[in-house]
Amino acid sequence: MENTIIELKFSLNTFYFLISGVLVMWMAAGFAMLEAGLVRSKNTTEILTKNVALYAIACTMYLLIGYNIMYVNNAEGGVLPSLGALIGSAAKDADHALQSDFFFQVVFVATAMSIVSGAVAERMKLWAFLAFCVVLTGFIYPLEGYWTWGGGFLSELGFVDFAGSAIVHGAGAAAALAGVLLLGARKGKYGKNGEIYPIPGSNMPLATLGTFILWMGWFGFNGGSQLFLADKENAIAVSQIMLNTNAAAAAGAVAALLVCKLMWGKADLTMVLNGALAGLVTTTAEPASPTPVLALILGAIGGALVVFSIVALDKAKIDDPVGAISVHGICGALGVMMVPFSNSDATFQGQAVGLITILGFVFIASYIVWSVLKASMGIRVGEEEELSGMDQHDCGVDAYPEFVTVRGQ
């Protein structure tokens, strides 16, 4: 009977890992739809190609290299990984199949790379982006992930980031910011005298669908990070996490809606969508310990902050077509620094050190990689290609051919 119970718990925990991983994988569809809706129609096929390709590359690089760096045979409290061999079939004392753990982890690295895609949209070369994807998913992300989740030195310092406000979302935003600074703004976005010209997205229904898909996938992102389900205590914790995750997203959307009404007298759908995502990112650092009311408050703060952040970056001429740097970077940092309010194991000093270390490392490493790519193969398409659209330049396929004038007529 005892062995049967152990095997049942093992099976349930493994199944929970797999289902959570599937939900997080579904977030790839969410990012693809959100970004496809927020770029212009002439760049839709290219952004969809990026999202499919980056997911495939991330899964491949993490299997071959990244997981080894992040988790396998690493010393506790270390800075450099051991580069151990790939996962075995099972460990004797494991509470779940190790393959399910790998699957759950690999979809996280794809999420981090998806954040970069939207921020550099509409003017970056496809192959330069994919080359960067190889480096981020195979080396940069796994190394900074090891420092906390793999038992490295940040975990020894008491840094808490439950599901990755900094490790996943902040890292993606830092890599995106480095690329955007080297890439420059889209043509026509900013005037010579500081004017800001909005460039509306092509498909708000798609962007809204993408946001709801991300919202749904986040239950696997945060809930799965509890890692266990097969006992009463963990089942209650998972339920609390999902309750708080949903509450924060809802509050973020409401807060962004109200801020838009107060600032401009209108409801800006793109800001409301980003407000929901901001609430989700904010709660990701610690979704287990807050009360539902505190989760509402934290989500609302994130939803309000993201509106001001997007406006501020625009004024600084940092062109981010989808608001990814604000949603995942600014609100990721907010979430990390809010952890001590609900988790007594975390300190503001430890959180600040972890946040600065992760964002600083990823930004510097990414800036170097982007610079090498810029000097070697170039990272930005020519002016003519940018004006005609990335779809024709990189893919040769229009996403909406019925809306495109037949060439030559």
Side-chain angles (χ1 to χ4, degrees), residues 2-264:
E2 183 178 351
N3 287 337
T4 301
I5 293 174
I6 292 174
E7 289 184 1
L8 182 60
K9 287 185 175 181
F10 183 95
S11 299
L12 184 56
N13 285 330
T14 296
F15 181 73
Y16 183 60
F17 256 119
L18 295 173
I19 290 299
S20 296
V22 168
L23 282 171
V24 180
M25 183 274 168
W26 187 229
M27 291 174 70
F31 279 113
M33 294 301 97
L34 175 65
E35 293 170 17
L38 293 181
V39 301
R40 287 167 288 184
S41 58
K42 64 182 180 180
N43 298 315
T44 305
T45 299
E46 195 263 355
I47 202 72
L48 294 174
T49 304
K50 277 183 178 178
N51 276 273
V52 174
L54 77 84
Y55 181 81
I57 291 172
C59 290
T60 303
M61 290 303 299
Y62 199 68
L63 175 67
L64 296 176
I65 300 173
Y67 190 85
N68 300 315
I69 293 174
M70 194 162 173
Y71 286 111
V72 182
N73 299 328
N74 287 325
E76 293 187 6
V79 176
L80 297 177
S82 66
L83 292 175
L86 192 62
I87 56 175
S89 59
K92 292 182 179 179
D93 59 346
D95 294 303
H96 55 273
L98 297 187
Q99 292 89 342
S100 68
D101 176 71
F102 170 82
F103 176 66
F104 183 67
Q105 298 296 337
V106 75
V107 289
F108 272 59
V109 66
T111 298
M113 190 63 214
S114 295
I115 295 165
V116 183
S117 174
V120 300
E122 301 203 288
R123 73 272 202 205
M124 173 168 279
K125 289 182 177 180
L126 173 63
W127 292 98
F129 173 83
L130 297 181
F132 179 79
C133 178
V134 169
V135 181
L136 180 74
T137 60
F139 301 95
I140 297 175
Y141 171 86
L143 180 55
E144 59 92 3
Y146 155 58
W147 293 338
T148 303
W149 289 345
F153 76 99
L154 290 181
S155 63
E156 294 290 310
L157 294 177
F159 176 64
V160 175
D161 192 0
F162 185 88
S165 282
I167 297 170
V168 180
H169 298 279
L177 178 60
V180 168
L181 292 178
L182 286 170
L183 190 62
R186 291 169 289 175
K187 296 293 182 182
K189 176 63 178 176
Y190 303 114
K192 295 182 179 179
N193 298 317
E195 303 93 341
I196 301 173
Y197 300 106
I199 301 179
S202 61
N203 195 321
M204 290 302 101
L206 267 189
T208 304
L209 174 63
T211 300
F212 274 118
I213 292 174
L214 288 169
W215 193 327
M216 175 184 173
W218 231 286
F219 295 122
F221 201 98
N222 285 357
S225 295
Q226 179 66 19
L227 307 182
F228 303 102
L229 181 67
D231 58 50
K232 180 179 179 180
E233 181 180 355
N234 281 294
I236 293 173
V238 168
S239 301
Q240 180 75 15
I241 289 168
M242 292 195 180
L243 188 163
N244 286 344
T245 298
N246 191 63
V254 171
L257 177 65
L258 294 176
V259 170
C260 290
K261 177 63 176 176
L262 291 174
M263 291 180 65
W264 303 301

Side-chain angles (χ1 to χ4, degrees), residues 157 337 340 346-354:
L157 294 177
M337 295 310 300
T347 65
F348 289 108
Q349 181 179 359
Q351 295 301 100
V353 170

Side-chain angles (χ1 to χ4, degrees), residues 263-408:
M263 291 180 65
W264 303 301
K266 297 180 181 180
D268 186 325
L269 175 61
T270 61
M271 290 295 188
V272 175
L273 299 179
N274 278 328
L277 297 177
L280 289 164
V281 172
T282 302
T283 195
T284 296
E286 182 48 276
S289 60
T291 64
V293 172
L294 181 56
L296 280 172
I297 294 172
L298 294 177
I301 295 173
L305 177 62
V306 78
V307 178
F308 294 107
S309 176
I310 290 172
V311 172
L313 288 184
D314 237 0
K315 290 181 178 179
K317 296 187 177 181
I318 297 175
D319 185 16
D320 179 357
V322 303
I325 297 171
S326 295
V327 170
H328 302 276
I330 301 301
C331 293
L334 171 67
V336 166
M337 295 310 300
M338 293 296 102
V339 171
F341 285 110
S342 61
N343 187 336
S344 59
D345 293 333
T347 65
F348 289 108
Q349 181 179 359
Q351 295 301 100
V353 170
L355 180 65
I356 293 170
T357 300
I358 291 171
L359 298 189
F361 165 74
V362 175
F363 177 82
I364 293 171
S366 298
Y367 196 91
I368 292 172
V369 175
W370 286 125
S371 297
V372 171
L373 291 172
K374 184 176 183 178
S376 56
M377 62 189 300
I379 61 175
R380 182 163 185 151
V381 298
E383 183 174 354
E384 182 179 346
E385 289 84 358
E386 184 176 346
L387 291 175
S388 62
M390 305 289 287
D391 288 359
Q392 281 298 316
H393 175 257
D394 279 334
C395 304
V397 178
D398 291 311
Y400 307 103
E402 293 86 354
F403 301 146
V404 178
T405 301
V406 178
R407 288 167 177 78

